[in-house]
Amino acid sequence: MLSKTMQDALNAQVLIEGQSSQVYLAMASWAEIQPGIDNITSFFYRHSDEEREHMLKLIHFINERGGFAVIPSFEQPQLTFPSISHAFKTLLEHEIMVSESINNLVDIALKEKDYATHNFLQWYVAEQIEEEALARNINDKLELIGNEKSGLYLLDRDILNVSVGGPTPPQ
Ligand code: OFO
């Protein structure tokens, strides 16, 4: 059974994961109307789907452990970006914020002596390591590319093989 403190903290994370999905969905929609970056566009759509999965996993976990998952409303995310680099920089900053929030949840689980939740959260810890590394990697590439269109062409081609999924979610 979840404590009230743990339940509230997990529900706050439901909001963050759902909001992340909205943030990346907005990036996807913006990218879709930019010429020639179809694979970058798919990357953002996939990322948005992944974040929704993260949210759903939390919802199921809260409800299965005797709590009640509260479905939140979301803020309208940033809709347009000055460049693709800006969008990916925003993505990295967002993931860093999510990692901090997951670490804080782990901290609460330990304080509450809730080892089941602590164990459940390890998947998110591993996921954040992967997502941050991936976002940093893309940002590094974009820095190298600068304003070169040919570099962007190659990034769009290579991003096809990039997985935003991370480890397989526990059932
Ligand atoms: Fe990338 O945020 Fe979910 O966990």
Side-chain angles (χ1 to χ4, degrees):
M1 184 87 184
L2 291 173
S3 69
K4 167 99 174 67
T5 307
M6 195 73 254
Q7 183 180 191
D8 289 350
L10 288 168
N11 268 320
Q13 193 64 29
V14 167
L15 171 61
I16 289 178
E17 300 292 344
Q19 186 67 40
S20 303
S21 179
Q22 297 295 97
V23 167
Y24 302 146
L25 188 58
M27 285 178 185
S29 177
W30 170 79
E32 199 163 30
I33 59 163
Q34 311 306 311
I37 52 164
D38 296 359
N39 296 327
I40 289 174
T41 298
S42 313
F43 172 89
F44 287 132
Y45 275 120
R46 285 205 310 276
H47 213 336
S48 172
D49 286 347
E50 288 293 332
E51 299 302 350
R52 185 167 190 278
E53 283 291 316
H54 299 172
M55 176 184 69
L56 284 174
K57 217 147 56 76
L58 278 161
I59 290 170
H60 295 317
F61 180 78
I62 295 167
N63 288 335
E64 277 161 13
R65 300 245 8 254
F68 176 50
V70 178
I71 307 307
S73 55
F74 302 118
E75 266 174 44
Q76 184 165 58
Q78 184 174 345
L79 299 178
T80 60
F81 301 86
S83 68
I84 291 156
S85 301
H86 279 84
F88 276 107
K89 216 166 266 162
T90 306
L91 185 143
L92 173 60
E93 281 160 12
H94 192 87
E95 287 302 330
I96 291 170
M97 179 278 287
V98 174
S99 297
E100 279 166 10
S101 170
I102 295 288
N103 289 344
N104 188 40
L105 271 180
V106 171
D107 219 42
I108 295 170
L110 284 176
K111 283 195 186 110
E112 295 288 301
K113 295 194 183 342
D114 185 340
Y115 301 114
T117 300
H118 182 269
N119 185 49
F120 169 77
L121 289 171
Q122 294 315 302
W123 182 84
Y124 286 84
V125 171
E127 175 75 6
Q128 281 313 117
I129 292 170
E130 287 212 11
E131 289 195 0
E132 265 193 50
L134 174 63
R136 280 209 173 81
N137 189 277
I138 296 172
N139 272 281
D140 287 349
K141 287 197 166 82
L142 279 163
E143 206 150 301
L144 281 178
I145 290 168
N147 291 325
E148 278 188 46
K149 290 224 162 84
S150 53
L152 201 54
Y153 170 82
L154 293 176
L155 179 70
D156 188 68
R157 189 194 64 185
D158 293 349
I159 211 166
L160 240 192
N161 303 317
V162 161
S163 153
V164 284
T168 313
Q171 296 307 309

